[in-house]
Amino acid sequence: MVERNISRRTVLKTTVAGGAAAAAGCLGGGDDREYVRPIDVDLDDVEPENEINMWNWFYDFRDWTVEEFSAEYGIESSSSTGYSSAAEWYSRLEAGNHAIDHVGSTGNYTVRSVENDFFEPLPVDQFEGWEALPDFLQDTMHDYAGKDGEVYAMPQSLLLYPTLTYNEDHFSSPPDSWGVLWDEEYAGDICMWDEAQYPCQIAALYTDQDPFDPDDLDEIQEVLEQQIDLNETLWDEYNHARGLFVNEDVVVGPLLDGQTYLARFEDEAPINYTIPEEGGLYQLDDMAIPTDCPNPRAATLLMDWVTQPDNLKNIFHESGYPPAIDHDDFEELYAEDLEEGTITEEEIEFFRWGELEDRLMFAEPLGDDLLQTYDQIWTEVKN
């Protein structure tokens, strides 16, 4: 897989350096050539524009990507922009004239952007990163970021959202049920995520309901009212949540795998995660090309380049979240990092879902009605 990536990049680089000017059926563009939609770009026969503008919320990964990609393709003008909220770029797309070629997205923002035609369909069949995705992720992208048979985003990283995180010094084996959050033995040592959707979805799983289409909302509220007083605290900020576990203020509760990773490997806390038998959720951060991007050829080449496993693997070193590739490929992909000692076998194993994968379901964005209902339930529970 990696060997094929190198081959593709070498071919493209040679093409650009040699000045081949054939361009995906169009001539002219942002540099006086006619606009071409990314879905119509032929990656084996395209010359990029001399500019690229990338927005992504992972600063180091974004800056590294722009620098390496621009150097490889001889792009002289590049910029990279960060943001704390996806609303920052979404409002620019709504307003038009956004000047963004490539943007990091997630969840509802991706769904809304696809529904509102703010993203371009992608020629995913030409992307080596698409080819490297396991079948379940290809299916997820068609369902979540697809329309009319086309795919509008590529996955960037995978997140368990949330994990059931626990302190190994207090549990001889991983808790096998969300019911541990209702166990009075751990009263005062439990935390809960203070974002309505997640306690309600955990309660749905605990009561054997569909977290995306529950059939007994009264039961969800009833069990949350039973659980609320068992918590040491509620958290709404990731670093705060990780600190609760690192300082042993709590020993069990919902967290994210990235924060659990940081607690275990950077803070050296005896923390681990599991996915209960009732099931758990995973989510994606993804990347897309906004409609009317100023440099569609360069944007499409960048999407292919950055999602190749050999490049996408670098997201891990900044975010603590694994790239969206087949977990079975981790060891080969990080072979050089293992040799250099910048990653360990234990860290790679931490992100292998193994048999837990069968318990996971994609955290599809919820509709406004259910979100409002969950908000109402959680507000009443807290009061």
Side-chain angles (χ1 to χ4, degrees):
M1 179 170 55
V2 173
E3 291 177 354
R4 293 194 65 246
N5 295 336
I6 294 172
S7 176
R8 162 66 66 87
R9 289 204 310 275
T10 302
V11 170
L12 290 172
K13 185 176 179 180
T14 302
T15 301
V16 172
C26 295
L27 299 174
D31 43 11
D32 295 332
R33 284 181 288 178
E34 188 177 317
Y35 186 83
V36 58
R37 301 191 70 186
I39 192 71
D40 295 324
V41 169
D42 179 355
L43 289 176
D44 288 326
D45 193 15
V46 60
E47 182 179 359
E49 297 84 358
N50 199 27
E51 181 179 348
I52 191 72
N53 309 297
M54 182 179 186
W55 285 47
N56 199 287
W57 41 35
F58 292 109
Y59 288 66
D60 290 343
F61 177 69
R62 178 203 66 210
D63 293 346
W64 173 86
T65 297
V66 167
E67 181 179 347
E68 292 291 321
F69 174 77
S70 297
E72 184 156 344
Y73 289 96
I75 293 175
E76 296 179 357
S77 177
S78 61
S79 67
S80 56
T81 302
Y83 45 87
S84 57
S85 168
E88 294 178 42
W89 59 258
Y90 189 83
S91 63
R92 292 176 67 98
L93 300 193
E94 281 186 307
N97 193 28
H98 49 75
I100 303 173
D101 289 312
H102 197 276
V103 67
S105 182
T106 193
N108 270 316
Y109 283 99
T110 294
V111 172
R112 290 162 59 192
S113 295
V114 173
E115 289 176 348
N116 292 320
D117 295 327
F118 290 169
F119 287 168
E120 284 285 347
L122 302 173
V124 292
D125 290 341
Q126 297 185 63
F127 293 163
E128 294 182 14
W130 179 261
E131 187 177 327
L133 291 177
D135 290 344
F136 83 94
L137 272 182
Q138 289 190 6
D139 292 342
T140 296
M141 297 312 293
H142 271 290
D143 293 340
Y144 149 71
K147 186 169 70 173
D148 300 330
E150 303 289 357
V151 177
Y152 289 72
M154 283 287 289
Q156 176 172 284
S157 54
L158 276 173
L159 303 78
L160 294 177
Y161 215 83
T163 58
L164 177 57
T165 293
Y166 63 96
N167 186 311
E168 292 180 317
D169 288 346
H170 290 263
F171 291 87
S172 57
S173 61
D176 59 8
S177 169
W178 289 110
V180 70
L181 304 182
W182 276 260
D183 189 338
E184 293 188 356
E185 177 182 352
Y186 301 105
D189 291 324
I190 301 170
C191 65
M192 179 57 79
W193 195 346
D194 190 12
E195 186 172 329
Q197 173 179 344
Y198 299 105
C200 288
Q201 289 191 306
I202 289 170
L205 290 166
Y206 172 56
T207 56
D208 197 26
Q209 297 186 59
D210 183 343
F212 308 103
D213 186 21
D215 54 21
D216 192 341
L217 293 165
D218 290 339
E219 185 179 27
I220 288 175
Q221 180 162 340
E222 181 180 340
V223 297
L224 286 175
E225 288 171 348
Q226 296 167 3
Q227 198 276 331
I228 189 75
D229 290 335
L230 300 179
N231 296 302
E232 163 63 19
T233 189
L234 308 177
W235 63 265
D236 61 4
E237 198 275 324
Y238 300 138
N239 289 325
H240 171 222
R242 185 172 87 244
L244 291 172
F245 283 95
V246 171
N247 297 326
E248 297 199 32
D249 295 324
V250 300
V251 301
V252 66
L255 197 62
L256 279 67
D257 54 348
Q259 292 295 327
T260 307
Y261 165 84
L262 293 174
R264 181 179 180 89
F265 293 100
E266 291 195 2
D267 301 325
E268 299 182 348
I271 304 301
N272 211 332
Y273 73 87
T274 189
I275 304 300
E277 291 180 354
E278 298 96 338
L281 310 177
Y282 74 90
Q283 196 177 64
L284 292 164
D285 282 342
D286 49 72
M287 297 179 281
I289 298 175
T291 301
D292 297 329
C293 65
N295 304 290
R297 298 168 183 81
T300 310
L301 273 173
L302 174 60
M303 184 66 82
D304 175 48
W305 187 88
V306 72
T307 55
Q308 291 169 12
D310 204 30
N311 295 320
L312 192 60
K313 74 172 189 176
N314 291 288
I315 190 69
F316 171 78
H317 293 296
E318 178 182 1
S319 70
Y321 293 103
I325 64 171
D326 194 321
H327 292 179
D328 292 339
D329 296 334
F330 277 5
E331 190 146 355
E332 178 186 352
L333 189 64
Y334 287 104
E336 185 176 333
D337 304 75
L338 283 166
E339 187 173 338
E340 294 174 351
T342 55
I343 195 170
T344 65
E345 291 278 4
E346 185 185 4
E347 288 173 90
I348 287 178
E349 191 61 31
F350 178 86
F351 285 108
R352 286 192 206 279
W353 292 344
E355 63 183 18
L356 298 179
E357 181 175 328
D358 294 337
R359 303 179 182 180
L360 288 168
M361 58 193 82
F362 179 61
E364 58 187 78
L366 301 180
D368 290 341
D369 289 346
L370 185 55
L371 280 174
Q372 290 174 8
T373 300
Y374 278 165
D375 280 340
Q376 181 178 348
I377 289 174
W378 186 236
T379 298
E380 292 179 2
V381 167
K382 291 197 294 181
N383 292 332

